[in-house]
Amino acid sequence: MESSSEGVAEAGDDGVVQAPPQVGVPEAVVGEGEKTFVAIPPASLSPSRAGDFMQCPLLYRFRVIDRLPEKPSAAATKGTLVHAVLERLFDAPAVERTAPRAKALIPGQWDRLRESRPELVELFADDPEGERLAGWLTEAERLVERWFTLEDPTRLEPAERELFIEAELESGLTLRGIIDRVDVAPTGEVRIVDYKTGKAPRPEYAEGALFQMKFYALVVWRLKKVIPRRLQLVYLGSGDVLTYDPVLADLERVERKLLALWEAIRLATETGDWRPRPTKLCGWCDHQAHCPEFGGTPPPYPLPVRAAESGAGAQGRMGPD
């Protein structure tokens, strides 16, 4: 789970958490007795926003520059709920970290989530009898129960939970994120753990799934001068655990990739040239009405632009790690 580099509270693939406001949020400007809002260029990068740009530069623009609203997602919200339950469970003594206790946390965490995000009422607005909501909460219970078949919380004492991390690279690029859990062994070895409420990817897509974890490992290395011993993805949807033991060369490759990505973002920000990249994922995009690929028109670009330099490369194409 991670925080957006642009102040949008988010959780990568699984949901949303509240993160502190960050650079990139439209800035309030006082003028003639009332506030107006102006967009400001992005100044940092998170795994989710990096993924957005690589998927589709125009999607990145809609989320970061234009900050277009998006409908709440039942799947993402379920992920947020499950993450909150797994985090709160560690507040209890080790012997009390049981599946029944974890499931008992779900109603209260759901209430807290709705209080903090009133827009979630839309998810079940067409469910007056509460049948869909009951089924949705049951699915959340199953995901929480499955976690107990993959890890034993009575034997874990996380060093950190929902850890906000931030590091500035020598280039000046700031990287940010929120790590679900950090475990530190008595020997000092660090394990970074991330919960996913979806299913594990097929082996040929495992590298993409590990990008977020390598991003976190890079930030930890830059902050602490320690390379995490293990990166661990816990897939509650399928009951799989994906692990990877990074080495220095991995983190250096990720840093080079992020620097190239940031240069492409900088160029697009300055020129206003945010090109759509159609894929099968377009069917799930909330912004089709504004996308040229669907006959839409993007909002007027809110930042100053300059002419693109000749020979500028395609945006978001980073090549192999």
Side-chain angles (χ1 to χ4, degrees), residues 167-279:
E168 183 176 323
L169 305 182
E170 292 179 358
S171 66
L173 170 60
T174 298
L175 304 179
R176 292 189 171 106
I178 294 181
I179 300 175
D180 287 345
R181 198 180 86 220
V182 178
D183 300 329
V184 179
T187 55
E189 294 177 310
V190 174
R191 177 173 64 183
I192 296 176
V193 181
D194 194 73
Y195 308 122
K196 299 293 184 186
T197 48
K199 296 181 179 180
R202 295 199 299 268
E204 60 266 32
Y205 297 112
E207 184 57 38
L210 284 169
F211 171 75
Q212 174 186 351
M213 304 302 284
K214 291 181 180 179
F215 183 110
Y216 293 153
L218 169 62
V219 178
V220 170
W221 173 49
R222 285 303 189 189
L223 283 174
K224 304 293 186 181
K225 306 303 180 185
V226 172
I227 298 175
R229 174 68 178 83
R230 173 153 294 181
L231 310 177
Q232 182 166 302
L233 284 160
V234 181
Y235 286 95
L236 304 177
S238 57
D240 295 299
V241 176
L242 176 63
T243 62
Y244 185 82
D245 296 341
V247 296
L248 179 59
D250 291 319
L251 307 188
E252 291 174 336
R253 280 194 295 270
V254 170
E255 184 167 348
R256 289 194 297 270
K257 181 173 184 174
L258 290 172
L259 291 175
L261 179 63
W262 188 247
E263 177 59 23
I265 291 173
R266 184 195 63 78
L267 180 61
T269 302
E270 292 182 357
T271 63
D273 183 11
W274 302 91
R275 303 172 191 174
R277 181 173 301 130
T279 68

Side-chain angles (χ1 to χ4, degrees), residues 23-182:
V23 174
V25 178
E27 185 180 57
V29 179
V30 178
E32 298 186 1
E34 63 180 22
K35 288 184 178 181
T36 59
F37 290 87
V38 296
I40 59 176
S44 59
L45 197 60
S46 70
S48 287
R49 295 292 80 87
D52 285 346
F53 190 85
M54 289 187 287
Q55 175 186 324
C56 175
L58 187 58
L59 174 63
Y60 178 98
R61 178 200 149 168
F62 287 158
R63 286 179 166 169
V64 176
I65 305 296
D66 300 298
R67 296 180 63 78
L68 297 181
E70 297 184 349
K71 294 177 293 185
S73 158
T77 304
K78 188 194 309 171
T80 304
L81 175 60
V82 171
H83 276 76
V85 169
L86 299 187
E87 179 193 3
R88 298 296 178 188
L89 184 65
F90 284 103
D91 291 339
V95 295
E96 297 179 17
R97 298 171 194 160
T98 63
R101 183 185 181 97
K103 290 195 296 181
L105 292 172
I106 290 176
Q109 292 303 312
W110 173 230
D111 288 342
R112 290 183 59 186
L113 191 56
R114 285 184 298 177
E115 290 173 4
S116 64
R117 297 179 59 203
E119 71 274 14
L120 296 181
V121 174
E122 300 175 24
L123 288 175
F124 302 103
D126 60 348
D127 182 36
E129 302 299 323
E131 293 181 2
R132 284 183 50 241
L133 173 59
W136 184 83
L137 290 171
T138 297
E139 292 172 2
E141 288 185 354
R142 292 189 185 124
L143 294 172
V144 169
E145 283 184 315
R146 182 167 289 149
W147 178 59
F148 286 83
T149 70
L150 305 175
E151 296 190 289
D152 181 359
T154 66
R155 303 182 64 181
L156 296 171
E157 291 297 341
E160 301 286 353
R161 290 173 277 153
E162 298 297 326
L163 175 65
F164 178 76
I165 54 173
E166 177 181 272
E168 183 176 323
L169 305 182
E170 292 179 358
S171 66
L173 170 60
T174 298
L175 304 179
R176 292 189 171 106
I178 294 181
I179 300 175
D180 287 345
R181 198 180 86 220
V182 178

